[in-house]
Amino acid sequence: MGFRLPAIRRASFTASKSAQAPKGCIAVYVGETQKRFVIPISYLNRPSFQELLCQVEEEYGYDHPMGGLTILCSEDVFQHMTSRLSGQ
């Protein structure tokens, strides 16, 4: 049973270099305020991060007007998750 990654749509605007994520990273937008976080792409392969994505997909779907990857969980939950992943 494989995990299906969500389709990541490109934003409808051209991002400036300062808005682009560094090579090997991806920008995600978290919470109701859509705070931008830049995370390593390798996090997408981690089972705990995949579980978070599945929960978000079930509850909210992935059709968000901002484009990119939007994760509508609280910023605290997201920061806790990424701090655990960075320590592994």
Side-chain angles (χ1 to χ4, degrees):
M1 179 170 136
F3 177 75
R4 177 183 58 84
L5 287 176
I8 299 174
R9 296 182 301 147
R10 293 186 184 269
S12 60
F13 58 90
T14 303
S16 67
K17 287 203 181 276
S18 63
Q20 292 177 348
K23 186 174 182 174
C25 295
I26 185 172
V28 296
Y29 301 91
V30 178
E32 293 196 17
T33 62
Q34 302 293 293
K35 183 173 180 180
R36 184 177 189 261
F37 290 88
V38 177
I39 61 169
I41 290 174
S42 62
Y43 285 8
L44 297 174
N45 291 324
R46 304 280 182 91
S48 55
F49 197 82
Q50 290 175 359
E51 178 61 30
L52 175 65
L53 291 176
C54 285
Q55 290 173 5
V56 170
E57 180 182 28
E58 286 176 13
E59 190 165 342
Y60 302 104
Y62 279 108
D63 185 24
H64 302 284
M66 185 171 207
L69 182 58
T70 304
I71 301 174
L72 294 175
C73 66
S74 73
E75 291 177 28
D76 290 339
V77 167
F78 184 79
Q79 288 178 326
H80 178 72
M81 168 74 66
T82 55
S83 69
R84 282 191 5 227
L85 292 173
S86 67
Q88 291 181 353

